[in-house]
């Protein structure tokens, strides 16, 4: 028999997961901390599993069940709101944003962050929704130019005339190694030293996407020791990394929930680089332009949340 769930509990859980603080979640929801706590406890009771770890500060992180649930909850809320809009006869508009497939494996808070982006966008464009479209690495640009998605979050300017690039917030890059790799004992090291290691790369990706993570701005790419991996998703990269033979570099946002078999290393001496969002040249819809502006705040927040 299907249980009747309290949607207010879903909203509180997403807010707590996004803000990582009960007080901040309560403020964002416009309710008291005690109300957030009660709604979350009710949801956990209905599900039969704890979603949030509690400590002396209140929020101690997500449980394994909470990490799985956060990947589905924002999308469920979006669908319910879209159904309500349809019932009221309100026009619905969907902005489709391509994100690398498999990113949820190492960044389970990404769906909640996109949900926050959607809420901010709706304050100006009621009825609009934002859909994250998991996309294989080699198809990111293709899906944009073909019209399958409206925007692509990426890491450099596109050289294509049919693509318009907008620079967002600074991109914080972090080295990642397997826990069995000799460098796993290091927590911080110079980027030039890390760049001497054998690195994974995906030959199917364009240069503007890969170069920041091959540290092409640290030493000449011709001097890099690169191992091509036929990876089409972030999960594929992580699977290869855990073999312990190579290293990789990722956005700091992807290190917030690394598996215990992986170890982050904060790199010093890195030149500046930035997140970018790509859209089709000439696509000047006001709601898309507003979404691009909000993505600058979004990328900054997910990077900040991942830093120690």
């Amino acid at each position: 028999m299907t249980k009747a769930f309290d949607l207010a509990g879903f909203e509180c859980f997403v807010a707590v997961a996004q803000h990582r603080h009960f007080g901040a979640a309560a403020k964002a929801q416009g309710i008291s901390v005690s109300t957030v706590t009660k709604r979350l406890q009710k949801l956990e009771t209905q599900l039969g599993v704890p979603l949030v770890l509690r400590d002396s500060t209140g929020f101690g992180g997500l449980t394994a069940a909470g990490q799985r649930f956060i990947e589905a909850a924002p999308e469920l809320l979006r669908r319910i709101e879209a159904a309500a809009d349809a019932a009221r006869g309100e026009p619905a508009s969907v902005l489709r944003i391509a994100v690398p497939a498999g990113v949820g494996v190492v960044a389970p808070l990404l769906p909640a962050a996109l949900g926050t982006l959607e809420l901010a966008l709706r304050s100006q464009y009621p009825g609009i929704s934002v859909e994250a479209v998991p996309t294989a690495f080699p198809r990111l640009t293709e899906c944009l130019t073909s019209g399958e998605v409206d925007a692509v979050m990426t890491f450099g300017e596109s050289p294509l005339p049919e693509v318009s690039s907008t620079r967002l917030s600074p991109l914080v890059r972090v080295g990642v190694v397997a826990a069995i790799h000799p460098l796993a004992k290091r927590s911080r090291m110079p980027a030039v030293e890390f760049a001497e290691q054998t690195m994974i790369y995906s030959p199917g990706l364009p240069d503007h996407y890969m170069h920041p993570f091959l540290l092409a701005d640290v030493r000449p790419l011709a001097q890099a020791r690169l191992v091509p991996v036929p990876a089409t998703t972030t999960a594929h990269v992580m699977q290869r990394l855990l073999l312990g033979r190579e290293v990789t570099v990722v956005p700091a946002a992807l290190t917030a929930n690394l598996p215990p078999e992986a170890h982050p290393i904060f790199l010093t001496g890195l030149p500046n680089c930035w997140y970018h969002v790509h859209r089709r040249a000439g696509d000047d819809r006001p709601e898309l332009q507003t979404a691009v502006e909000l993505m600058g705040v979004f990328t900054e927040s997910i990077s900040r949340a991942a830093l120690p």
Side-chain angles (χ1 to χ4, degrees), residues 181-291:
H181 192 280
L183 289 181
K185 297 177 182 179
R186 307 277 294 272
S187 61
R188 186 179 299 268
M189 66 186 296
V192 291
E193 183 181 345
F194 193 83
E196 297 173 356
Q197 303 298 312
T198 303
M199 306 183 75
I200 298 170
Y201 87 104
S202 176
L205 281 172
D207 290 346
H208 70 262
Y209 194 102
M210 282 301 300
H211 279 187
F213 305 107
L214 298 178
L215 301 182
D217 52 352
V218 173
R219 45 90 178 95
L221 198 57
Q223 298 178 9
R225 296 159 54 193
L226 304 178
V227 174
V229 176
T232 58
T233 73
T234 307
H236 292 162
V237 173
M238 188 59 58
Q239 289 169 4
R240 175 59 185 247
L241 179 79
L242 295 183
L243 297 177
R245 296 193 291 264
E246 300 94 16
V247 305
T248 193
V249 175
V250 302
L254 298 190
T255 65
N257 195 59
L258 287 174
E261 299 85 1
H263 175 74
I265 299 176
F266 291 91
L267 305 177
T268 60
L270 278 172
N272 292 331
C273 63
W274 290 265
Y275 281 101
H276 284 72
V277 61
H278 295 172
R279 55 193 170 100
R280 289 181 295 280
D283 188 351
D284 297 323
R285 288 174 288 167
E287 62 269 32
L288 179 56
Q289 293 188 55
T290 301

Side-chain angles (χ1 to χ4, degrees), residues 11 15 22 34 69 100 107 110 118 135 150-151 174 179 241 255 266 269-270 308:
E11 293 172 342
F22 280 92
S34 63
F69 194 58
L110 182 61
E118 179 181 81
T135 306
D150 301 296
V174 176
L241 179 79
T255 65
F266 291 91
L270 278 172

Side-chain angles (χ1 to χ4, degrees), residues 15 20 47 68 144 169 181 187 227 283:
R20 306 181 71 80
L47 291 172
R68 293 189 296 269
L144 176 64
S169 65
H181 192 280
S187 61
V227 174
D283 188 351

Side-chain angles (χ1 to χ4, degrees), residues 56-81:
S56 58
T57 65
F59 179 82
L62 298 180
T63 65
Q67 291 168 4
R68 293 189 296 269
F69 194 58
I70 194 59
E71 294 194 45
E75 175 64 13
L76 176 60
L77 287 173
R78 187 192 69 78
R79 289 182 179 274
I80 291 171
E81 290 173 358

